[in-house]
Amino acid sequence: MMPSLPKRALLTGAGASLAAAALPGAREAQAQTPRTALVIAAQIDDLVALDPHHSFEVTGSDLLKNVYDQLFVLDPTKDTAELQPGIAESFTVSEDGKTYTFRIRQGVRFHSGNALTAADVVYSLRRPLMINRTPAFMFRSVGLTRDNVEQNVRQTGDFEVQVTFNQAYAPTLIQNLFTANIASVLDSRLVQQNAGDDMGNSWLNRNSAASGAYRLVRYQPNESYMLERNDQWWRGRANLQRVIVRHVPEAATQRLLLERGDVDVARNLTPTDIAALRGRPNITLAEFPRGTIQYFSANLTFPLLQNPKVVEALKYLVDYDGIANNLLPGQVFPHQSFIPRAILGAVDTRPYTYDPDRARRLLAEAGHANGIALTIDTANSFPSLDVAQTLQASMARGGVRLEVLPATGAQVLAKFRARNHQLFIGIWGLGYPDPHYNADSFSSNPPGTDNPGKLTWRNGWDIPELTRRTESAMTERDQNARAAIYRQIQEEFMNTSPFAIFAQQQVQVAHRSNLRGYMASSPGLSAIYWLATKG
């Protein structure tokens, strides 16, 4: 059984009135906002692509998962990532395990009014590889390529589609992959009417061709977007008629708008802002776990770090509870392996605690009784820089003199990808809710080739046997057996890897207390708007 996420914390609450200033063009004076509108203050300047086969940012997923339908979905009401039928209402697998036949749901209509058919699904599964944007690697990881996709993705009936993969992958892997934005089903007729010379990529980055809970009615880059309810949605009509997300870059301004009632939700508050709002009337604080982990890693191509006792010592010099409870309270919780909670095969084992004395003994056993000196590369932004400075202090007590080397995110990543770091602080998000997505980078490093996209390779960790087991987990068709393989892989990973995973992130928000059902994050890796209601 998959472990459950921590229960969402609801810390304060009371009734509230909302302000009309939340709506575009409204005056600043406070007045009651429509009870049918959800208004969110958030940082959305990283929203660069609205095409679901192009977008690869969390902010984009929040919009897209509320606008588009995918082949499969995750139940947003459950704390574990439980799969449900989506546009694919059922499927069968061939005897050799390679060919999936999907039965497409009938009666679904796009926002344009066009009926959704198997032809739209085929177009939508082929298109990501043809436009070849960043998310296309997900389909390539299961053997679909630009050269073979027309042959391997075929319409076999008005409401039937067959997809043939290069191996007999685990059905749960394929289903989880097809919950991702890259598996969003497009209105192929509408897209082709606006195709231009890039299969509609430019047009879809400002418009939508969807069938989901809401339709996009306005998008102003770096300012706002507005969604209107799709009253004909096959899953049932959303509770609120309209969603407005305003770009508010400053956390202090988000907090002010919330306190005044100008917005329903403040999405990007700092721990200081959260502390100031705690106990305030008409305000509720809530926490939603996200499948993003924080870690630091040691480059094993650096001679000093090739001694396992040195790396083990570093793992005992992380103040895991201090980071969660003092540095980033409410924004993370302690977690020490690469599969996030709620995902198949996750473990809650925490073998490491902050123990400077034990770390000193390990360094002495490694021949460094007088301690060692290391550098750590980090982005010069919150929270990575703050974590690096906390590690600098905690490691000093265990005999490690740590020099923090801050730089821009691009500079740090370039150094990391070139294997020129000693220690590196990273944040890793789950691209789709399957353990393979993370295992592919944390416990796989195929021998004989350079694998610069994998975190294992970047840290010089050669693991042919663990790589073999990671690859075998992709093809284990029994879900319980598959979960057991990932648990075994993680136990070895925690004991032997050059990674110290110290936290899993959660989204911490404040909202007006008359708002119910809004989810800032979900097992499906996105915000959920369609369950929100106002009292």
Side-chain angles (χ1 to χ4, degrees), residues 9 17 25 75-76 90 104 129-130 144 170-171 230 239 293 311 359 363 366 420 430 493 526 532:
S17 62
D75 187 342
S90 64
I104 305 306
L129 291 161
M130 304 309 291
L144 296 176
N230 171 19
N239 291 317
I293 58 175
V311 174
L363 289 176
N420 289 330
L430 193 66
F493 170 88
S526 65

Side-chain angles (χ1 to χ4, degrees), residues 98-100 142-144 151-154 162-166:
K98 294 182 179 181
T99 298
Y100 286 64
V142 290
L144 296 176
Q151 175 184 346
N152 289 358
V153 177
R154 298 179 298 114
Q162 280 191 353
V163 182
T164 300
F165 301 97
N166 63 333

Side-chain angles (χ1 to χ4, degrees), residues 368-386:
H368 304 290
N370 295 323
I372 59 175
L374 290 169
T375 61
I376 187 164
D377 289 282
T378 177
N380 56 5
S381 58
F382 177 84
S384 295
L385 180 57
D386 304 74

Side-chain angles (χ1 to χ4, degrees), residues 51-56 61 64-65 68-71 120-142 144 174-186 431-433 437:
D51 184 336
H53 301 160
H54 179 176
S55 175
F56 203 57
S61 185
L64 295 170
K65 282 293 182 71
Y68 285 88
D69 286 316
Q70 293 77 38
L71 292 187
D120 298 294
V121 175
V122 169
Y123 177 84
S124 300
L125 293 179
R126 291 174 175 177
R127 182 176 178 272
L129 291 161
M130 304 309 291
I131 67 172
N132 197 29
R133 296 293 187 169
T134 300
F137 80 89
M138 298 184 194
F139 280 3
R140 289 195 293 268
S141 73
V142 290
L144 296 176
I174 299 303
Q175 287 177 277
N176 281 319
L177 171 59
F178 282 170
T179 69
N181 285 319
I182 194 175
S184 295
V185 179
L186 307 184
Y432 54 89
Y437 187 90

Side-chain angles (χ1 to χ4, degrees), residues 482-501:
R482 188 167 182 245
I485 295 173
Y486 284 115
R487 286 193 288 269
Q488 294 167 0
I489 289 171
Q490 288 172 95
E491 292 296 334
E492 182 172 339
F493 170 88
M494 288 186 282
N495 290 330
T496 64
S497 81
F499 297 91
I501 294 173

Side-chain angles (χ1 to χ4, degrees), residues 170-364:
T172 50
L173 189 159
I174 299 303
Q175 287 177 277
N176 281 319
L177 171 59
F178 282 170
T179 69
N181 285 319
I182 194 175
S184 295
V185 179
L186 307 184
D187 183 338
S188 61
R189 283 161 287 182
L190 182 59
V191 175
Q192 288 168 339
Q193 289 168 13
N194 296 276
D197 58 2
D198 59 3
M199 295 188 71
N201 185 210
S202 298
W203 183 80
L204 277 173
N205 279 332
R206 292 294 180 270
N207 300 277
S208 66
S211 60
Y214 287 93
R215 61 185 181 90
L216 178 69
V217 295
R218 184 169 69 235
Y219 170 53
Q220 297 171 297
N222 301 320
E223 292 185 17
S224 67
Y225 64 79
M226 179 184 290
L227 311 179
E228 289 281 353
R229 183 171 62 199
N230 171 19
D231 289 339
Q232 306 304 316
W233 193 33
W234 64 271
R235 294 178 68 179
R237 194 174 70 170
N239 291 317
L240 296 178
Q241 182 177 349
R242 180 180 296 114
V243 178
I244 302 163
V245 180
R246 300 171 53 186
H247 176 53
V248 182
E250 301 84 9
T253 305
Q254 289 190 21
R255 173 182 154 194
L256 176 62
L257 291 170
L258 180 71
E259 290 176 315
R260 287 171 33 177
D262 291 350
V263 299
D264 299 316
V265 179
R267 187 72 163 69
N268 307 103
L269 300 179
T270 67
T272 300
D273 293 308
I274 292 292
L277 291 171
R278 198 176 302 278
R280 293 288 300 275
N282 304 327
I283 302 294
T284 295
L285 306 181
E287 296 165 354
F288 303 86
R290 169 180 286 169
T292 303
I293 58 175
Q294 296 182 345
Y295 69 93
F296 78 81
S297 59
N299 183 357
L300 301 186
T301 68
F302 185 64
L304 176 61
L305 296 169
Q306 290 172 0
N307 190 318
K309 291 185 180 296
V310 171
V311 174
E312 186 180 4
L314 296 178
K315 295 178 182 180
Y316 282 107
L317 291 176
V318 182
D319 187 358
Y320 299 90
D321 291 328
I323 290 172
N325 298 330
N326 302 322
L327 180 64
L328 303 171
Q331 301 196 357
V332 302
F333 52 87
H335 189 68
Q336 293 188 8
S337 194
F338 61 78
I339 297 180
R341 293 186 195 178
I343 303 303
L344 180 73
V347 296
D348 282 330
T349 308
R350 293 177 56 190
Y352 299 101
T353 58
Y354 183 49
D355 193 340
D357 293 336
R358 185 168 183 173
R360 284 187 180 276
R361 290 196 299 272
L362 286 166
L363 289 176

